Amino acid sequence: MEPKGDIALIGLAVMGQNLILNMNDNGFTVVAYNRTISKVDDFMNGEAKGTNIIGARSIEEMVKHLKRPRRIMMLVKAGQAVDDFIDQIIPYLEPGDIIIDGGNSLFQDSIRRTEYLNARGLLFVGTGVSGGEEGARRGPSIMPGGHPDAWPHVKDIFQAISAKVEDGSPCCDWVGNDGAGHYVKMIHNGIEYGDMQLICEAYHLMKEGLGMSADEMHEVFADWNKGELDSYLIEITRDILGFKDIDGEPLVEKILDTAGQKGTGKWTLINSAELGIPITLIGEAVYSRCISAMKEERVAASKKLRGPKPAIRNDRTKFIEDIRSALYASKIISYAQGFMLLRAAASDYGWKLKYGEIALMWRGGCIIRSQFLGKIKEAFEKRKRLPNLLLDPHFKREIRKCQRGWRNVVATAAKKGIPAPAFSTALNFFDAFRSERLPANLLQAQRDYFGAHTYERIDHERGEFFHTNWTGRGGNVSSTTYDA
Ligand code: NBP
Protein backbone atom coordinates (compact mmCIF):
# COMPACT_ATOMS: atom_id res chain seq x y z
CA MET A 1 0.00 0.00 0.00
CA GLU A 2 1.30 3.46 -0.95
CA PRO A 3 2.05 5.60 2.10
CA LYS A 4 -0.35 8.52 2.55
CA GLY A 5 1.39 10.65 5.16
CA ASP A 6 2.74 14.04 4.04
CA ILE A 7 4.47 14.69 7.36
CA ALA A 8 4.80 13.10 10.79
CA LEU A 9 4.61 15.09 14.00
CA ILE A 10 6.10 13.87 17.24
CA GLY A 11 4.94 15.49 20.49
CA LEU A 12 1.27 15.66 21.29
CA ALA A 13 1.30 18.50 23.82
CA VAL A 14 -0.29 21.89 23.21
CA MET A 15 1.91 22.97 20.27
CA GLY A 16 2.05 19.60 18.53
CA GLN A 17 -1.66 18.83 18.65
CA ASN A 18 -2.63 22.27 17.40
CA LEU A 19 -0.09 22.23 14.57
CA ILE A 20 -1.35 18.81 13.46
CA LEU A 21 -4.94 20.08 13.36
CA ASN A 22 -3.79 23.16 11.45
CA MET A 23 -1.94 20.99 8.89
CA ASN A 24 -4.99 18.75 8.58
CA ASP A 25 -7.23 21.78 7.90
CA ASN A 26 -4.83 22.76 5.14
CA GLY A 27 -5.21 19.43 3.38
CA PHE A 28 -2.06 17.63 4.57
CA THR A 29 -2.16 14.10 5.89
CA VAL A 30 -0.33 14.05 9.21
CA VAL A 31 0.97 11.05 11.13
CA ALA A 32 0.83 11.67 14.88
CA TYR A 33 3.21 10.09 17.40
CA ASN A 34 4.15 10.69 21.03
CA ARG A 35 6.57 9.14 23.53
CA THR A 36 3.71 8.27 25.87
CA ILE A 37 1.56 6.20 23.51
CA SER A 38 -1.67 6.64 25.50
CA LYS A 39 -1.60 10.29 24.38
CA VAL A 40 -1.75 9.13 20.73
CA ASP A 41 -4.88 7.14 21.55
CA ASP A 42 -6.41 10.03 23.49
CA PHE A 43 -5.75 12.40 20.61
CA MET A 44 -7.07 10.03 17.94
CA ASN A 45 -10.23 9.43 19.96
CA GLY A 46 -10.63 13.12 20.80
CA GLU A 47 -9.60 16.15 18.71
CA ALA A 48 -8.41 14.03 15.74
CA LYS A 49 -11.58 11.95 15.43
CA GLY A 50 -13.14 12.21 11.96
CA THR A 51 -10.03 13.85 10.42
CA ASN A 52 -7.42 12.43 8.02
CA ILE A 53 -4.83 12.29 10.83
CA ILE A 54 -3.13 8.90 11.21
CA GLY A 55 -2.09 7.76 14.69
CA ALA A 56 1.18 5.79 14.99
CA ARG A 57 2.04 3.59 17.98
CA SER A 58 5.77 3.22 17.22
CA ILE A 59 8.45 5.14 15.34
CA GLU A 60 8.67 2.30 12.79
CA GLU A 61 4.93 2.51 12.12
CA MET A 62 5.14 6.31 11.90
CA VAL A 63 7.89 6.16 9.26
CA LYS A 64 6.05 3.49 7.21
CA HIS A 65 3.12 5.87 6.74
CA LEU A 66 5.29 8.61 5.19
CA LYS A 67 5.78 9.55 1.53
CA ARG A 68 9.41 10.18 0.43
CA PRO A 69 11.37 12.23 1.23
CA ARG A 70 10.04 11.68 4.72
CA ARG A 71 9.32 14.76 6.74
CA ILE A 72 9.29 14.30 10.50
CA MET A 73 8.68 17.25 12.79
CA MET A 74 9.26 17.23 16.56
CA LEU A 75 7.47 19.46 19.04
CA VAL A 76 8.92 18.15 22.24
CA LYS A 77 10.72 19.61 25.22
CA ALA A 78 13.93 21.30 24.01
CA GLY A 79 17.26 19.69 24.93
CA GLN A 80 18.08 16.01 25.37
CA ALA A 81 14.61 14.83 24.25
CA VAL A 82 15.31 16.20 20.75
CA ASP A 83 18.68 14.40 20.50
CA ASP A 84 17.13 11.20 21.84
CA PHE A 85 14.37 11.25 19.23
CA ILE A 86 16.84 12.02 16.43
CA ASP A 87 18.86 8.92 17.36
CA GLN A 88 15.73 6.80 17.58
CA ILE A 89 14.46 7.92 14.15
CA ILE A 90 17.72 7.76 12.17
CA PRO A 91 17.77 3.92 11.72
CA TYR A 92 14.43 4.09 9.88
CA LEU A 93 15.38 6.87 7.46
CA GLU A 94 17.03 7.07 4.04
CA PRO A 95 19.30 9.74 2.54
CA GLY A 96 17.42 12.93 1.75
CA ASP A 97 14.82 12.46 4.51
CA ILE A 98 14.17 15.47 6.69
CA ILE A 99 14.00 15.88 10.47
CA ILE A 100 12.49 19.13 11.73
CA ASP A 101 12.77 20.46 15.28
CA GLY A 102 9.99 22.99 15.93
CA GLY A 103 10.65 23.43 19.67
CA ASN A 104 12.42 26.28 21.43
CA SER A 105 15.91 24.87 20.94
CA LEU A 106 19.16 26.68 21.54
CA PHE A 107 20.56 27.78 18.16
CA GLN A 108 23.97 26.23 18.90
CA ASP A 109 22.19 22.86 19.24
CA SER A 110 20.61 23.38 15.82
CA ILE A 111 24.03 24.15 14.32
CA ARG A 112 25.33 20.90 15.81
CA ARG A 113 22.27 18.87 14.71
CA THR A 114 22.49 20.17 11.13
CA GLU A 115 26.07 18.88 10.92
CA TYR A 116 25.24 15.62 12.69
CA LEU A 117 22.42 14.75 10.28
CA ASN A 118 24.26 16.04 7.23
CA ALA A 119 27.07 13.60 7.99
CA ARG A 120 24.42 10.82 7.79
CA GLY A 121 22.91 12.05 4.51
CA LEU A 122 19.87 13.52 6.26
CA LEU A 123 18.55 17.07 6.22
CA PHE A 124 17.86 18.98 9.43
CA VAL A 125 15.53 21.93 9.88
CA GLY A 126 15.54 23.87 13.15
CA THR A 127 12.54 26.14 13.15
CA GLY A 128 11.15 28.68 15.54
CA VAL A 129 7.37 28.51 15.90
CA SER A 130 5.70 31.40 17.69
CA GLY A 131 2.14 32.27 18.60
CA GLY A 132 1.41 29.85 21.43
CA GLU A 133 -1.63 27.58 21.34
CA GLU A 134 -3.84 29.91 19.29
CA GLY A 135 -1.06 30.60 16.78
CA ALA A 136 -0.28 26.92 16.33
CA ARG A 137 -3.96 26.20 15.63
CA ARG A 138 -4.86 29.20 13.43
CA GLY A 139 -1.52 30.27 11.93
CA PRO A 140 1.80 30.77 13.72
CA SER A 141 4.87 32.70 12.70
CA ILE A 142 7.38 30.10 11.48
CA MET A 143 11.13 30.82 11.27
CA PRO A 144 12.93 27.87 9.62
CA GLY A 145 16.67 27.42 9.23
CA GLY A 146 18.96 24.43 8.80
CA HIS A 147 20.10 22.58 5.68
CA PRO A 148 18.98 24.73 2.70
CA ASP A 149 18.20 21.64 0.56
CA ALA A 150 15.34 20.88 2.95
CA TRP A 151 13.49 24.15 2.30
CA PRO A 152 11.82 23.21 -1.02
CA HIS A 153 10.41 20.11 0.71
CA VAL A 154 8.92 21.88 3.74
CA LYS A 155 8.02 25.23 2.18
CA ASP A 156 4.54 24.20 1.00
CA ILE A 157 3.43 22.89 4.38
CA PHE A 158 5.02 25.65 6.46
CA GLN A 159 3.75 28.53 4.34
CA ALA A 160 0.25 26.99 4.13
CA ILE A 161 -0.15 26.67 7.90
CA SER A 162 1.56 29.95 8.87
CA ALA A 163 -0.13 33.25 9.64
CA LYS A 164 -0.66 35.64 6.73
CA VAL A 165 -0.46 39.43 6.67
CA GLU A 166 -3.15 41.61 5.03
CA ASP A 167 -1.82 41.11 1.48
CA GLY A 168 -1.71 37.34 1.98
CA SER A 169 2.10 37.06 2.43
CA PRO A 170 2.96 34.16 4.74
CA CYS A 171 4.72 34.88 8.06
CA CYS A 172 7.24 32.19 7.17
CA ASP A 173 10.33 32.29 4.99
CA TRP A 174 13.69 30.52 4.93
CA VAL A 175 15.87 32.32 7.47
CA GLY A 176 19.30 30.84 6.77
CA ASN A 177 21.72 27.98 7.33
CA ASP A 178 21.99 25.69 10.37
CA GLY A 179 20.97 27.57 13.56
CA ALA A 180 19.64 30.76 11.89
CA GLY A 181 15.95 29.89 12.36
CA HIS A 182 16.29 29.19 16.05
CA TYR A 183 18.50 32.25 16.45
CA VAL A 184 15.83 34.51 14.97
CA LYS A 185 13.24 32.86 17.23
CA MET A 186 15.51 33.52 20.22
CA ILE A 187 15.75 37.23 19.30
CA HIS A 188 11.97 37.27 18.84
CA ASN A 189 11.57 35.95 22.38
CA GLY A 190 14.08 38.47 23.74
CA ILE A 191 12.17 41.30 22.08
CA GLU A 192 8.97 39.82 23.50
CA TYR A 193 10.52 40.11 27.01
CA GLY A 194 11.31 43.77 26.26
CA ASP A 195 7.83 44.61 24.92
CA MET A 196 6.19 43.01 27.96
CA GLN A 197 8.44 44.88 30.40
CA LEU A 198 7.70 48.22 28.70
CA ILE A 199 3.97 47.62 29.00
CA CYS A 200 4.40 46.65 32.68
CA GLU A 201 6.29 49.89 33.37
CA ALA A 202 3.53 51.93 31.72
CA TYR A 203 0.96 50.12 33.88
CA HIS A 204 3.05 50.61 37.03
CA LEU A 205 3.41 54.37 36.44
CA MET A 206 -0.33 54.75 35.81
CA LYS A 207 -1.27 52.66 38.82
CA GLU A 208 1.28 53.77 41.43
CA GLY A 209 1.96 57.26 40.12
CA LEU A 210 -1.41 58.41 38.82
CA GLY A 211 -3.52 56.17 41.08
CA MET A 212 -5.55 54.85 38.15
CA SER A 213 -7.96 51.93 38.42
CA ALA A 214 -7.78 48.81 36.26
CA ASP A 215 -10.88 49.97 34.37
CA GLU A 216 -9.29 53.33 33.63
CA MET A 217 -6.09 51.65 32.43
CA HIS A 218 -8.18 49.25 30.33
CA GLU A 219 -9.54 52.33 28.50
CA VAL A 220 -6.03 53.76 28.00
CA PHE A 221 -4.72 50.51 26.49
CA ALA A 222 -7.85 50.24 24.30
CA ASP A 223 -7.06 53.74 23.02
CA TRP A 224 -3.34 53.00 22.50
CA ASN A 225 -4.22 49.91 20.51
CA LYS A 226 -5.75 52.14 17.82
CA GLY A 227 -2.49 53.97 17.06
CA GLU A 228 1.19 53.21 16.42
CA LEU A 229 1.23 50.83 19.39
CA ASP A 230 -1.45 48.58 17.86
CA SER A 231 -0.20 45.09 18.72
CA TYR A 232 -1.15 41.76 20.21
CA LEU A 233 0.53 42.49 23.54
CA ILE A 234 -1.24 45.86 23.98
CA GLU A 235 -4.50 44.16 23.01
CA ILE A 236 -4.17 41.36 25.59
CA THR A 237 -3.09 43.90 28.24
CA ARG A 238 -6.30 45.83 27.56
CA ASP A 239 -8.29 42.63 28.01
CA ILE A 240 -6.38 41.52 31.12
CA LEU A 241 -7.03 44.90 32.78
CA GLY A 242 -10.73 44.58 31.99
CA PHE A 243 -10.97 41.01 33.32
CA LYS A 244 -12.82 40.57 36.63
CA ASP A 245 -12.40 37.82 39.21
CA ILE A 246 -15.52 36.03 40.50
CA ASP A 247 -15.96 38.76 43.14
CA GLY A 248 -16.06 41.45 40.45
CA GLU A 249 -12.59 42.81 41.31
CA PRO A 250 -9.83 43.00 38.67
CA LEU A 251 -8.06 39.62 38.58
CA VAL A 252 -4.70 41.17 37.64
CA GLU A 253 -4.38 42.79 41.09
CA LYS A 254 -4.68 39.41 42.80
CA ILE A 255 -1.82 37.81 40.86
CA LEU A 256 1.46 37.38 42.75
CA ASP A 257 4.11 39.78 41.40
CA THR A 258 6.90 37.28 40.73
CA ALA A 259 7.67 36.61 37.08
CA GLY A 260 8.73 33.28 35.60
CA GLN A 261 11.05 32.73 32.65
CA LYS A 262 11.98 29.72 30.54
CA GLY A 263 15.39 30.85 29.32
CA THR A 264 15.13 32.35 25.84
CA GLY A 265 15.49 35.93 27.17
CA LYS A 266 18.54 34.87 29.15
CA TRP A 267 20.03 33.15 26.08
CA THR A 268 19.58 36.36 24.09
CA LEU A 269 21.36 38.31 26.79
CA ILE A 270 24.26 35.85 27.03
CA ASN A 271 24.68 35.82 23.26
CA SER A 272 24.61 39.64 23.10
CA ALA A 273 27.43 39.77 25.65
CA GLU A 274 29.42 37.29 23.58
CA LEU A 275 28.93 39.35 20.41
CA GLY A 276 29.47 42.67 22.24
CA ILE A 277 26.11 44.18 21.28
CA PRO A 278 24.36 46.32 23.90
CA ILE A 279 20.78 45.06 23.93
CA THR A 280 20.28 46.92 27.17
CA LEU A 281 16.49 46.90 27.09
CA ILE A 282 16.17 43.12 26.85
CA GLY A 283 18.81 42.97 29.59
CA GLU A 284 16.67 45.11 31.89
CA ALA A 285 13.61 43.02 31.00
CA VAL A 286 15.39 39.80 32.00
CA TYR A 287 16.78 41.30 35.22
CA SER A 288 13.40 42.86 36.07
CA ARG A 289 11.95 39.35 36.09
CA CYS A 290 14.83 38.29 38.36
CA ILE A 291 14.21 41.13 40.84
CA SER A 292 10.47 40.41 40.78
CA ALA A 293 11.26 36.83 41.81
CA MET A 294 13.06 38.12 44.95
CA LYS A 295 9.67 38.65 46.56
CA GLU A 296 10.56 37.91 50.18
CA GLU A 297 13.66 40.08 50.12
CA ARG A 298 11.66 42.91 48.52
CA VAL A 299 8.93 42.68 51.12
CA ALA A 300 11.54 42.87 53.91
CA ALA A 301 13.39 45.75 52.24
CA SER A 302 10.15 47.68 51.63
CA LYS A 303 9.80 48.00 55.41
CA LYS A 304 13.31 49.36 55.90
CA LEU A 305 14.29 51.41 52.83
CA ARG A 306 12.45 54.68 52.35
CA GLY A 307 12.04 56.73 49.15
CA PRO A 308 9.79 59.52 47.85
CA LYS A 309 5.98 59.23 47.76
CA PRO A 310 4.95 57.86 44.34
CA ALA A 311 1.97 60.17 43.70
CA ILE A 312 2.47 62.07 40.45
CA ARG A 313 0.65 65.41 40.49
CA ASN A 314 1.10 66.27 36.79
CA ASP A 315 -1.89 66.81 34.50
CA ARG A 316 -3.16 63.25 34.14
CA THR A 317 -4.14 63.33 30.45
CA LYS A 318 -0.83 64.91 29.49
CA PHE A 319 1.20 62.47 31.57
CA ILE A 320 -0.62 59.46 30.09
CA GLU A 321 0.33 60.81 26.66
CA ASP A 322 3.94 61.13 27.89
CA ILE A 323 3.87 57.48 29.03
CA ARG A 324 2.62 56.51 25.56
CA SER A 325 5.56 58.42 24.05
CA ALA A 326 8.01 56.72 26.42
CA LEU A 327 6.60 53.31 25.55
CA TYR A 328 6.70 53.94 21.81
CA ALA A 329 10.21 55.46 21.76
CA SER A 330 11.60 52.72 24.03
CA LYS A 331 10.06 50.09 21.79
CA ILE A 332 11.83 51.62 18.79
CA ILE A 333 15.12 51.46 20.74
CA SER A 334 14.51 47.82 21.69
CA TYR A 335 13.89 46.75 18.09
CA ALA A 336 16.89 48.79 16.92
CA GLN A 337 19.01 46.89 19.47
CA GLY A 338 17.50 43.55 18.42
CA PHE A 339 18.31 44.18 14.75
CA MET A 340 21.84 45.27 15.74
CA LEU A 341 22.29 41.88 17.37
CA LEU A 342 20.88 40.08 14.31
CA ARG A 343 23.36 41.94 12.11
CA ALA A 344 26.29 41.00 14.36
CA ALA A 345 25.16 37.36 14.47
CA ALA A 346 24.82 37.23 10.67
CA SER A 347 28.41 38.34 10.36
CA ASP A 348 29.72 36.12 13.16
CA TYR A 349 27.89 32.90 12.18
CA GLY A 350 28.02 33.43 8.41
CA TRP A 351 24.27 33.83 7.81
CA LYS A 352 22.71 35.95 5.06
CA LEU A 353 19.82 37.31 7.09
CA LYS A 354 17.11 39.32 5.30
CA TYR A 355 15.99 41.87 7.88
CA GLY A 356 12.84 43.02 6.05
CA GLU A 357 11.67 39.41 5.70
CA ILE A 358 12.35 38.76 9.39
CA ALA A 359 10.16 41.76 10.27
CA LEU A 360 7.47 40.32 7.98
CA MET A 361 7.71 36.90 9.68
CA TRP A 362 7.05 38.62 13.03
CA ARG A 363 4.32 40.85 11.56
CA GLY A 364 1.59 38.24 12.10
CA GLY A 365 0.93 35.06 14.07
CA CYS A 366 3.48 35.58 16.83
CA ILE A 367 3.40 37.21 20.26
CA ILE A 368 5.20 40.41 19.16
CA ARG A 369 2.97 40.89 16.09
CA SER A 370 2.18 44.55 15.50
CA GLN A 371 1.57 47.29 12.95
CA PHE A 372 4.97 48.64 13.91
CA LEU A 373 6.77 45.65 12.33
CA GLY A 374 5.28 46.68 8.99
CA LYS A 375 7.20 49.97 9.34
CA ILE A 376 10.41 48.08 10.14
CA LYS A 377 9.91 45.97 7.01
CA GLU A 378 9.44 49.17 4.98
CA ALA A 379 12.61 50.67 6.48
CA PHE A 380 14.73 47.66 5.42
CA GLU A 381 13.00 47.51 2.02
CA LYS A 382 13.81 51.14 1.33
CA ARG A 383 17.43 50.66 2.37
CA LYS A 384 18.68 47.08 2.40
CA ARG A 385 21.95 48.09 4.06
CA LEU A 386 20.33 50.36 6.66
CA PRO A 387 23.07 50.44 9.33
CA ASN A 388 20.67 51.08 12.22
CA LEU A 389 16.89 51.37 12.52
CA LEU A 390 17.33 54.65 14.43
CA LEU A 391 18.76 56.21 11.26
CA ASP A 392 15.70 55.40 9.15
CA PRO A 393 13.86 58.71 8.42
CA HIS A 394 10.51 57.41 9.72
CA PHE A 395 11.88 56.18 13.04
CA LYS A 396 14.09 59.26 13.40
CA ARG A 397 10.96 61.41 13.12
CA GLU A 398 8.97 59.25 15.52
CA ILE A 399 11.71 59.41 18.18
CA ARG A 400 11.91 63.19 17.78
CA LYS A 401 8.15 63.47 18.37
CA CYS A 402 8.35 61.27 21.50
CA GLN A 403 11.46 62.72 23.10
CA ARG A 404 9.96 65.39 25.36
CA GLY A 405 7.36 63.07 26.87
CA TRP A 406 9.84 60.18 27.15
CA ARG A 407 12.36 62.32 29.06
CA ASN A 408 9.62 63.64 31.32
CA VAL A 409 8.50 60.11 32.19
CA VAL A 410 12.03 58.89 32.98
CA ALA A 411 12.75 62.00 35.09
CA THR A 412 9.40 61.81 36.91
CA ALA A 413 9.78 58.10 37.60
CA ALA A 414 13.23 58.76 39.11
CA LYS A 415 11.91 61.65 41.24
CA LYS A 416 8.94 59.65 42.46
CA GLY A 417 10.89 56.46 43.14
CA ILE A 418 8.91 54.32 40.68
CA PRO A 419 11.20 51.84 38.90
CA ALA A 420 11.18 52.25 35.12
CA PRO A 421 14.36 50.40 34.12
CA ALA A 422 13.44 49.70 30.50
CA PHE A 423 12.22 53.25 29.78
CA SER A 424 15.42 54.60 31.39
CA THR A 425 17.88 52.27 29.72
CA ALA A 426 16.30 52.96 26.33
CA LEU A 427 16.80 56.70 26.86
CA ASN A 428 20.35 56.18 28.09
CA PHE A 429 21.13 54.06 25.04
CA PHE A 430 19.65 56.73 22.77
CA ASP A 431 21.75 59.44 24.41
CA ALA A 432 24.91 57.31 24.31
CA PHE A 433 24.35 56.23 20.70
CA ARG A 434 23.95 59.85 19.55
CA SER A 435 27.05 61.03 21.50
CA GLU A 436 30.10 61.82 19.43
CA ARG A 437 32.24 61.62 22.57
CA LEU A 438 31.69 59.41 25.61
CA PRO A 439 33.78 59.28 28.81
CA ALA A 440 35.59 56.13 27.68
CA ASN A 441 38.75 58.24 27.27
CA LEU A 442 38.97 58.37 31.07
CA LEU A 443 38.20 54.68 31.27
CA GLN A 444 41.05 53.88 28.88
CA ALA A 445 43.34 56.06 31.00
CA GLN A 446 42.31 54.10 34.10
CA ARG A 447 42.97 50.78 32.34
CA ASP A 448 46.36 51.99 31.20
CA TYR A 449 47.15 53.38 34.69
CA PHE A 450 46.53 50.14 36.59
CA GLY A 451 47.17 47.48 33.94
CA ALA A 452 49.26 49.06 31.16
CA HIS A 453 46.41 48.18 28.77
CA THR A 454 47.35 51.06 26.41
CA TYR A 455 45.09 53.61 24.69
CA GLU A 456 44.65 55.24 21.27
CA ARG A 457 44.93 59.03 20.84
CA ILE A 458 42.62 61.42 19.04
CA ASP A 459 45.66 63.15 17.47
CA HIS A 460 47.02 59.89 15.98
CA GLU A 461 45.76 57.27 13.49
CA ARG A 462 43.43 54.52 14.80
CA GLY A 463 45.36 51.37 15.59
CA GLU A 464 48.37 53.14 17.13
CA PHE A 465 48.57 52.26 20.82
CA PHE A 466 50.25 54.28 23.58
CA HIS A 467 51.22 53.55 27.13
CA THR A 468 52.04 56.16 29.76
CA ASN A 469 54.02 55.64 32.94
CA TRP A 470 51.37 57.52 35.00
CA THR A 471 53.12 57.35 38.38
CA GLY A 472 56.73 57.41 37.35
CA ARG A 473 57.09 54.09 39.22
CA GLY A 474 55.83 51.66 36.55
CA GLY A 475 57.98 50.11 33.82
CA ASN A 476 57.68 50.72 30.11
CA VAL A 477 56.21 47.30 29.24
CA SER A 478 52.57 47.41 28.13
CA SER A 479 49.94 44.67 28.11
CA THR A 480 49.02 43.01 24.80
CA THR A 481 46.18 44.91 23.08
CA TYR A 482 43.16 42.83 22.06
CA ASP A 483 39.39 42.90 22.59
CA ALA A 484 37.70 39.94 24.28
P1 NBP B 1 6.16 20.67 26.21
O1 NBP B 1 7.32 21.60 26.12
O2 NBP B 1 5.41 20.57 27.46
O3 NBP B 1 6.69 19.20 25.80
C1 NBP B 1 5.81 18.11 25.82
C2 NBP B 1 6.25 17.04 24.85
O4 NBP B 1 7.63 16.71 25.07
C3 NBP B 1 5.46 15.78 25.06
O5 NBP B 1 5.25 15.18 23.80
C4 NBP B 1 6.39 14.93 25.92
O6 NBP B 1 6.18 13.56 25.79
C5 NBP B 1 7.70 15.29 25.30
N1 NBP B 1 8.86 14.98 26.16
C6 NBP B 1 9.23 15.48 27.35
BR1 NBP B 1 8.28 16.74 28.30
N2 NBP B 1 10.35 14.96 27.83
C7 NBP B 1 10.71 14.05 26.88
C8 NBP B 1 11.79 13.17 26.78
N3 NBP B 1 12.75 13.14 27.70
N4 NBP B 1 11.87 12.37 25.70
C9 NBP B 1 10.93 12.43 24.75
N5 NBP B 1 9.86 13.27 24.78
C10 NBP B 1 9.76 14.06 25.83
O7 NBP B 1 5.11 20.93 25.01
P2 NBP B 1 4.68 22.24 24.25
O8 NBP B 1 4.33 23.34 25.21
O9 NBP B 1 3.69 21.82 23.23
O10 NBP B 1 6.03 22.71 23.53
C11 NBP B 1 6.68 21.92 22.57
C12 NBP B 1 7.92 22.67 22.12
O11 NBP B 1 7.52 23.90 21.51
C13 NBP B 1 8.87 23.06 23.26
O12 NBP B 1 10.18 23.05 22.80
C14 NBP B 1 8.45 24.47 23.60
O13 NBP B 1 9.49 25.22 24.19
C15 NBP B 1 8.09 25.01 22.22
N6 NBP B 1 7.12 26.11 22.20
C16 NBP B 1 6.08 26.13 23.06
C17 NBP B 1 5.17 27.18 23.02
C18 NBP B 1 3.98 27.23 23.95
O14 NBP B 1 3.30 28.26 23.94
N7 NBP B 1 3.71 26.19 24.71
C19 NBP B 1 5.34 28.19 22.06
C20 NBP B 1 6.39 28.11 21.16
C21 NBP B 1 7.29 27.06 21.25
P3 NBP B 1 5.28 12.78 26.88
O15 NBP B 1 3.86 13.10 26.53
O16 NBP B 1 5.64 11.39 26.67
O17 NBP B 1 5.66 13.32 28.24
Side-chain angles (χ1 to χ4, degrees), residues 11-16 34-36 39 75-78 81 85 102-104 129 132-133 185:
L12 297 181
V14 61
M15 293 300 285
N34 193 70
R35 177 184 63 167
T36 307
K39 292 190 187 167
L75 271 139
V76 298
K77 188 178 164 195
F85 265 124
N104 265 342
V129 179
E133 181 177 2
K185 172 68 181 1

Side-chain angles (χ1 to χ4, degrees), residues 386-452:
L386 182 67
N388 192 295
L389 213 51
L390 296 176
L391 301 176
D392 169 73
H394 170 75
F395 289 112
K396 218 163 73 182
R397 256 191 328 270
E398 295 298 279
I399 290 260
R400 195 182 314 131
K401 278 196 275 177
C402 291
Q403 258 200 70
R404 195 207 52 80
W406 185 16
R407 290 187 189 280
N408 186 35
V409 167
V410 172
T412 307
K415 273 197 218 150
K416 295 293 175 180
I418 302 172
F423 286 162
S424 313
T425 196
L427 187 56
N428 277 319
F429 175 85
F430 178 69
D431 285 334
F433 187 65
R434 60 180 198 84
S435 293
E436 191 182 334
R437 192 158 166 85
L438 287 170
N441 49 328
L442 174 58
L443 196 136
Q444 285 296 82
Q446 291 166 337
R447 293 179 69 232
D448 190 56
Y449 187 112
F450 64 69

Side-chain angles (χ1 to χ4, degrees), residues 49-69:
K49 206 175 179 111
T51 67
N52 291 328
I53 299 164
I54 302 167
R57 311 190 91 253
S58 70
I59 289 180
E60 186 178 9
E61 186 192 342
M62 174 188 84
V63 175
K64 273 192 189 146
H65 281 297
L66 290 174
K67 298 177 195 162
R68 291 194 173 85

Side-chain angles (χ1 to χ4, degrees), residues 257-275:
D257 54 330
T258 63
Q261 44 186 330
K262 281 194 170 164
T264 40
K266 185 181 76 182
W267 293 347
T268 314
L269 197 54
I270 292 170
N271 179 256
S272 76
E274 272 165 4
L275 298 186

